[in-house]
Amino acid sequence: MAYLLKDARDRLDDMASDRSKFYPVEQGVDLLVIRNKEREQTYSYVFEPNVVGRDADKKEIKKMIMETRNEVNVSVIAMTGIGGIGKTTLAQLVYNDAEVERYFQLKMWVSGWVSLIAFDMDPIVRKMIESATHRKCENFELEVLQTLLRKEIEGKRYLLVFDDM
C-alpha cells in the first residue's frame, strides 16, 4: 500500500511541476490565499438525462478502465482541461455506469483541492477511507489511516476518482 501512495504522490508531484510551467504564479499573489482557497466539492451523482453528447467519451473511458491487463495492478487515467468542459460530468457518468458498478468491488469518489504548495497526504487518505466506508474518519495519524485504507482495498478491484485535485 505504501508504494501505491508513493506512486500517487510522485504522479501528483509531476502534475504540480507541469502546472507551474503553464500557469506561473504572478508576482504579488499571496500564496497563503491560494493554498487556503476553498473549492466547491463535487459528488459522484449525475442526472443522466441532462447530459448530451458524451456517449463516445464514456464508452472510451469505460474501455480503458475495464480492459486493463492482468500484469498491471494500477492504472491511471488523467482527464485534464480547462474548467467547464465536462471532465467531472464524464467521470460521474462512468462512475455510475451499471457495467462499471458490477466490474469494481469498491468505488471511491474523492473531491477537493490539493494545494500545490503544501501537499498533505492525511486529508486525501482520510477522504478515501470515508468514501470507501461511508463513515467519518477523524483524529488518526497517517500510519493508522494508511492501515485502515489498506484493509479496505486489499484484494479488491477498485475504482478511485480524484476530482478537482
Side-chain angles (χ1 to χ4, degrees):
M1 180 64 208
Y3 72 92
L4 291 176
L5 290 175
K6 183 189 179 319
D7 184 52
R9 186 179 208 156
D10 290 344
R11 289 174 192 243
L12 287 170
D13 286 343
D14 290 344
M15 285 188 262
S17 142
D18 287 346
R19 184 181 190 281
S20 68
K21 292 176 192 171
F22 298 106
Y23 300 101
V25 176
E26 295 178 20
Q27 289 183 348
V29 174
D30 186 352
L31 297 181
L32 291 176
V33 171
I34 292 172
R35 187 171 67 123
N36 292 324
K37 182 179 177 184
E38 288 293 323
R39 297 250 184 143
E40 182 179 318
Q41 283 199 325
T42 63
Y43 45 85
S44 63
Y45 176 75
V46 65
F47 186 62
E48 283 196 51
N50 289 346
V51 180
V52 203
R54 297 310 294 240
D55 293 335
D57 296 328
K58 176 182 168 182
K59 184 178 179 180
E60 187 64 30
I61 298 290
K62 279 176 53 178
K63 180 180 176 186
M64 288 196 287
I65 65 172
M66 294 171 69
E67 293 181 3
T68 57
R69 296 177 300 255
N70 287 339
E71 66 270 6
V72 176
N73 58 355
V74 176
S75 296
V76 176
I77 299 169
M79 292 191 285
T80 61
I82 60 171
I85 62 171
K87 299 177 300 292
T88 296
T89 301
L90 180 57
Q92 290 166 326
L93 289 170
V94 172
Y95 190 89
N96 291 296
D97 182 82
E99 285 181 89
V100 170
E101 190 83 35
R102 287 188 298 274
Y103 186 77
F104 291 98
Q105 297 163 308
L106 175 64
K107 296 187 317 173
M108 296 170 279
W109 184 277
V110 177
S111 168
W113 190 57
V114 174
S115 169
L116 300 177
I117 298 154
F119 184 78
D120 187 9
M121 285 297 293
D122 286 26
I124 296 170
V125 175
R126 189 177 317 282
K127 287 179 180 187
M128 290 170 67
I129 294 167
E130 289 173 358
S131 181
T133 64
H134 304 287
R135 292 187 309 252
K136 270 292 196 201
C137 183
E138 298 179 10
N139 301 321
F140 293 117
E141 296 293 322
L142 185 57
E143 175 64 22
V144 174
L145 291 172
Q146 69 88 23
T147 301
L148 291 170
L149 181 59
R150 191 173 353 102
K151 286 181 182 178
E152 286 300 320
I153 66 174
E154 205 164 44
K156 294 179 184 171
R157 181 183 297 132
Y158 61 91
L159 173 64
L160 170 60
V161 174
F162 284 124
D163 188 44
D164 199 20
M165 295 206 130

